[in-house]
Amino acid sequence: MAAEIFTQQPLKVTHAILQVLEQAGIDKIFGVPGGHTGHIYNAAESFQETIRTVLLRQESLAGVMAEVTGRLTGRPGVIMGQGSWVLGHGIIGTLESLLASSPMLLLSELSDSPGLDLHAPYQAGTGDYGVWDAKQAYEAICKQVFVVRDPVTAVHAVQLAIKHALSGQPGPVAVLFSRSALMGDVGPDSFPPLYHTRYYLPPKASPASSESIAQAVAAIKQATNPVIVAGNGVRVGQAEAALAQFAEATGIPVVTTATGKGVIAENHPMALGPFGTWGTQVASMTAAEADLIIVAGSKLGTSDLNRENPKLLDPRRQTIVQIEIEPRNASWVLPAEYVLLGDVGCVLGQLQAALEPTQEQASAGLERVEAARLKYGFFNHPSRESDSAPILPQRIIAEMEKVLPDDAIITCDAGVNRMLVNHHYKTRSVGGILEPAGAGAMGYAIPAAMAAKLEHPDRVAVAVCGDGGFPMSMNGLLSCVENDIPIIVIVFNNASLGAVVHDTGAFAALFKDFSHADMAKGMSCNGIRVSEPGEIAAALQQALDNGGTTVIDFVICPEVSFRACIAPPLGSLA
């Protein structure tokens, strides 16, 4: 059968670039028009039936929304705009994409002036004398960068960028257009020929070799206390259902990394919550007591491993089976005796079939999880019921569980708010939480909630941030109103950068006490300020009832430290 060419009729190159996205199933573009990308934005008006273009107030919002879209859908999220600012302002999302392995596409440009490239043109990123080097700068934070200077290459480069963003370990890929690349047409007679985008999409999920499966299965059958450590790779690989089925069938408990929190609902009978530095005691202790660890979609970074605390995981006393799609990540931090290279969902299915688990094993696993929850506690710390004022954030988190719908999506910023939510909030649905645990940037929660709401319009999206992170992205509230993206924003207001205060000291880390609720009202949103614990539930319910975007400014106790989240008795080596 002959290969299908890209188009049967001439197309403006800007329309062809958008047709590539359409053919790849990409249905959203986030950004701010600028530089030469304005030509693509103008063409996007003709694609409104299939591609939604979301105008944001700054590229930092667009970058996070693109990263979260890639993380949630498994298709590259797209940020588009001018070269300098997609790089600079958009770096929050790009770094998170690189370090958390979310597929992401950066469509940007060189701001060049053909014919005047050696005359120090304004804003240019060609790398010539007197200007900056966009390619070199983007290469520092992307898997791959394509620089294109003609229309045919522009179309092909976008196809290759999608391929690279999805292949192996996903990540961010940039295409930088020269002005000349966006001027002109492509068509059926273009040379080199252009072909349909489907040829550039990665093949379907790959299984691990039968030999490696057999070896791992033999080891798992010998184990008496196996545990699954599930990471963000389960989410990126769209393998949440496979993980739950494997755990239910085999009776093997599931703990997650911080980035993996939410890949299994924590009210699932086989779930024990996150382990590691900010994890729950029951998850950390169950992992520490295991004789075999099945690592599903995690690099096992040092932050996951409590700074590689041997009391948590130790390959000298535990056998490690690692499922990994990127060979370079296998046995990276801790040596894995058994490495299963392949798609995480596919490999879990292979293991389940080969193990031939029995109902007795499944029942024994349920009893094991219940016994561990009774022994170590399970999202029931006494601080969650505190009536003290200023409010303990743990009490807010407990009330969130009671009032918010089970399928609510919680997004976090960096800082104490993320550590507290990670440790104390029990997710009640798959995909119930998103954290910036790759790069860990402040200013992440609001645009992350916006992206989650766009992908799941029927679910409530709640951004949790501190009073340090909220002002960094509160311009997102304007975009919520303009784009009809209703979210709830919870601000933990302790008039400080809490993580800094409790780590290195208060100097240069204290704020005045502002009313973030009043700021929200000034941006046509709802605003509620709460200072008493008895008002928490009513404020949350009011936010749900409002329907639009609401900011709840909680005045919290400044004495609550992130160290309260470190699960004893492992302690911390930090």
Side-chain angles (χ1 to χ4, degrees):
M1 181 177 177
E4 182 182 356
I5 62 172
F6 178 73
T7 178
Q8 295 288 347
Q9 58 187 12
L11 286 174
K12 289 184 178 180
V13 61
T14 50
H15 286 71
I17 289 167
L18 292 162
Q19 185 167 304
V20 169
L21 302 185
E22 190 178 59
Q23 290 178 350
I26 294 171
D27 59 2
K28 297 179 188 67
I29 295 173
F30 306 101
V32 181
H36 304 322
T37 63
H39 298 290
I40 308 177
Y41 272 101
N42 285 336
E45 185 176 3
S46 301
F47 287 78
Q48 294 181 74
E49 295 297 319
T50 54
I51 300 175
R52 179 172 179 176
T53 300
V54 182
L55 171 64
L56 284 312
R57 291 305 185 105
Q58 193 183 45
E59 293 83 356
S60 60
L61 301 169
V64 173
M65 294 182 75
E67 185 274 325
V68 169
T69 298
R71 190 188 296 202
L72 291 176
T73 66
R75 301 186 302 273
V78 180
I79 175 175
M80 186 164 73
Q82 190 165 6
S84 307
W85 316 124
V86 167
L87 174 76
H89 296 319
I91 197 170
I92 293 177
T94 308
L95 275 183
E96 188 66 29
S97 166
L98 182 69
L99 299 178
S101 305
S102 303
M104 181 173 171
L105 187 60
L106 296 85
L107 299 182
S108 196
E109 47 80 72
L110 299 175
S111 297
D112 59 329
S113 301
L116 296 172
D117 286 341
L118 300 182
H119 293 248
Y122 175 62
Q123 294 184 327
T126 58
D128 296 304
Y129 176 69
V131 298
W132 69 292
D133 191 331
K135 183 175 187 292
Q136 185 179 34
Y138 275 87
E139 283 177 338
I141 57 172
C142 292
K143 281 182 66 178
Q144 181 67 47
V145 178
F146 296 96
V147 176
V148 294
R149 301 183 184 279
D150 67 88
V152 173
T153 306
V155 176
H156 190 209
V158 176
Q159 293 173 321
L160 290 177
I162 294 170
K163 177 181 181 179
H164 283 249
L166 291 170
S167 298
Q169 176 178 285
V173 177
V175 181
L176 305 179
F177 300 103
S178 166
R179 184 179 184 277
S180 57
L182 299 176
M183 301 292 119
D185 296 345
V186 298
D189 299 323
S190 292
F191 185 84
L194 293 170
Y195 300 102
H196 195 283
T197 302
R198 72 171 184 272
Y199 299 115
Y200 300 93
L201 302 179
K204 292 183 178 180
S206 58
S209 70
S210 56
E211 181 182 0
S212 64
I213 289 290
Q215 292 172 345
V217 164
I220 295 169
K221 286 183 175 180
Q222 292 296 316
T224 56
N225 290 301
V227 167
I228 304 163
V229 172
N232 186 53
V234 173
R235 179 184 286 109
V236 174
Q238 310 286 291
E240 294 95 337
L243 172 66
Q245 290 167 8
F246 180 82
E248 291 163 8
T250 62
I252 302 178
V254 179
V255 306
T256 70
T257 63
T259 322
K261 186 178 171 77
V263 298
I264 187 169
E266 287 164 340
N267 61 355
H268 187 283
M270 295 306 298
L272 292 172
F275 87 138
T277 307
W278 318 117
T280 64
Q281 182 178 3
V282 64
S284 293
M285 290 306 300
T286 303
E289 295 165 356
D291 59 349
L292 182 140
I293 306 291
I294 301 173
V295 182
S298 172
K299 303 169 190 173
L300 291 182
T302 187
S303 58
D304 295 322
L305 300 181
N306 194 229
R307 294 184 62 84
E308 300 185 38
N309 189 337
K311 296 178 182 178
L312 184 61
L313 297 189
D314 188 346
R316 293 167 295 187
R317 61 180 176 82
Q318 296 169 310
T319 300
I320 296 179
V321 177
Q322 187 170 9
I323 305 170
E324 180 56 57
I325 198 166
E326 172 54 64
R328 292 177 297 179
N329 292 342
S331 293
W332 177 9
V333 178
L334 296 181
E337 190 72 26
Y338 304 95
V339 174
L340 305 176
L341 292 176
D343 173 84
V344 62
C346 186
V347 174
L348 285 171
Q350 287 179 280
L351 286 176
Q352 182 176 331
L355 284 167
E356 299 179 330
T358 65
Q359 183 58 51
E360 289 77 13
Q361 289 172 321
S363 299
L366 291 171
E367 293 175 3
R368 181 182 165 202
V369 170
E370 186 59 33
R373 290 176 176 179
L374 289 172
K375 182 177 180 180
Y376 295 114
F378 188 62
F379 296 104
N380 58 353
H381 193 274
S383 61
R384 292 161 52 95
E385 306 300 324
S386 173
D387 288 324
S388 64
I391 301 169
L392 293 189
Q394 297 95 314
R395 172 68 184 274
I396 300 170
I397 293 168
E399 296 295 332
M400 288 166 59
E401 283 183 35
K402 296 175 184 176
V403 177
L404 296 177
D406 285 354
D407 66 348
I409 302 173
I410 310 300
T411 65
C412 301
D413 254 19
V416 174
N417 70 88
R418 176 170 73 89
M419 302 168 195
L420 288 167
V421 170
N422 189 287
H423 188 82
H424 289 285
Y425 182 79
K426 180 170 66 177
T427 61
R428 293 152 294 150
S429 62
V430 172
I433 194 163
L434 291 168
E435 303 179 45
M442 297 171 69
Y444 182 90
I446 290 175
M450 294 167 65
K453 184 65 176 178
L454 283 177
E455 288 303 321
H456 299 287
D458 295 331
R459 298 174 69 173
V460 173
V462 182
V464 179
C465 49
D467 56 332
F470 174 77
M472 293 184 181
S473 56
M474 65 182 183
N475 54 354
L477 301 180
L478 300 173
S479 297
C480 286
V481 173
E482 292 168 333
N483 293 283
D484 189 23
I485 308 174
I487 65 172
I488 296 172
V489 181
I490 289 173
V491 182
F492 288 175
N493 184 352
N494 57 8
S496 70
L497 292 170
V500 175
V501 169
H502 293 288
D503 185 21
T504 57
F507 180 73
L510 302 179
F511 301 127
K512 289 183 178 295
D513 181 18
F514 292 99
S515 172
H516 305 97
D518 288 342
M519 295 178 191
K521 293 174 183 177
M523 289 183 274
S524 300
C525 298
N526 304 301
I528 307 169
R529 188 170 169 91
V530 177
S531 57
E532 295 295 330
E535 301 170 351
I536 299 172
L540 290 168
Q541 188 60 54
Q542 183 180 340
L544 290 173
D545 294 341
N546 282 336
T549 293
T550 298
V551 173
I552 309 177
D553 187 17
F554 286 108
V555 180
I556 68 165
C557 177
E559 303 303 319
V560 176
S561 166
F562 62 85
R563 289 188 171 84
C565 299
I566 299 173
L570 294 176
S572 174
L573 301 183

